Amino acid sequence: EGLPAERVYDIACSSGTFFLSPSHPGTETIVDLCRHVKRGGSIMILTKKEYLGKDFVMWEKVNELLRKNLLEEVERVFMPGYRKPFDHESDRLSMAAILHYRVVE
């Protein structure tokens, strides 16, 4: 109740939401997004590259979607300037990760 119908969106975009900590949305949310984005639609995630390697990020869920041909990785781009780096961070370029997936089935 209160959730959008399945397969209604052309694109789902997220900036700064995923992978920051175990309490932030993780890869299980990508599974849910696949139900709400139309076939052929896109899921775009902008996050800090450093966050992709966190030990609590469960890439197995995304890899399973890719293996089952339910999701396709279109592009994975890394570029500087995600945000101003904090003093304690070693990544002085603040590398961004842009993940683009296409919903297949």
Side-chain angles (χ1 to χ4, degrees):
E1 188 174 307
L3 292 175
E6 292 191 5
R7 307 280 187 198
V8 295
Y9 299 106
D10 294 314
I11 188 169
C13 296
S14 170
S15 178
T17 305
F18 283 84
F19 316 129
L20 178 60
S21 74
S23 65
H24 283 72
T27 54
E28 71 281 353
T29 307
I30 296 172
V31 175
D32 292 334
L33 289 173
C34 285
R35 289 197 335 262
H36 299 293
V37 174
K38 294 176 185 175
R39 287 177 183 86
S42 293
I43 298 172
M44 303 286 297
I45 298 171
L46 170 64
T47 191
K48 196 162 194 285
K49 180 182 178 188
E50 175 182 320
Y51 301 159
L52 300 178
K54 298 282 187 177
D55 61 356
F56 55 80
V57 178
M58 307 298 288
W59 287 108
E60 297 82 26
K61 294 175 187 287
V62 173
N63 291 336
E64 182 179 350
L65 293 170
L66 294 168
R67 273 192 309 278
K68 291 181 175 180
N69 202 33
L70 301 174
L71 190 68
E72 170 188 28
E73 184 173 86
V74 176
E75 191 171 28
R76 184 178 284 228
V77 177
F78 303 114
M79 57 192 295
Y82 175 68
R83 60 165 162 68
K84 286 186 174 182
F86 295 124
D87 290 337
H88 67 276
E89 292 181 309
S90 60
D91 175 13
R92 303 314 298 164
L93 294 177
S94 192
M95 293 298 288
I98 303 169
L99 311 178
H100 179 193
Y101 295 102
R102 181 175 295 116
V103 177
V104 179
E105 284 295 324

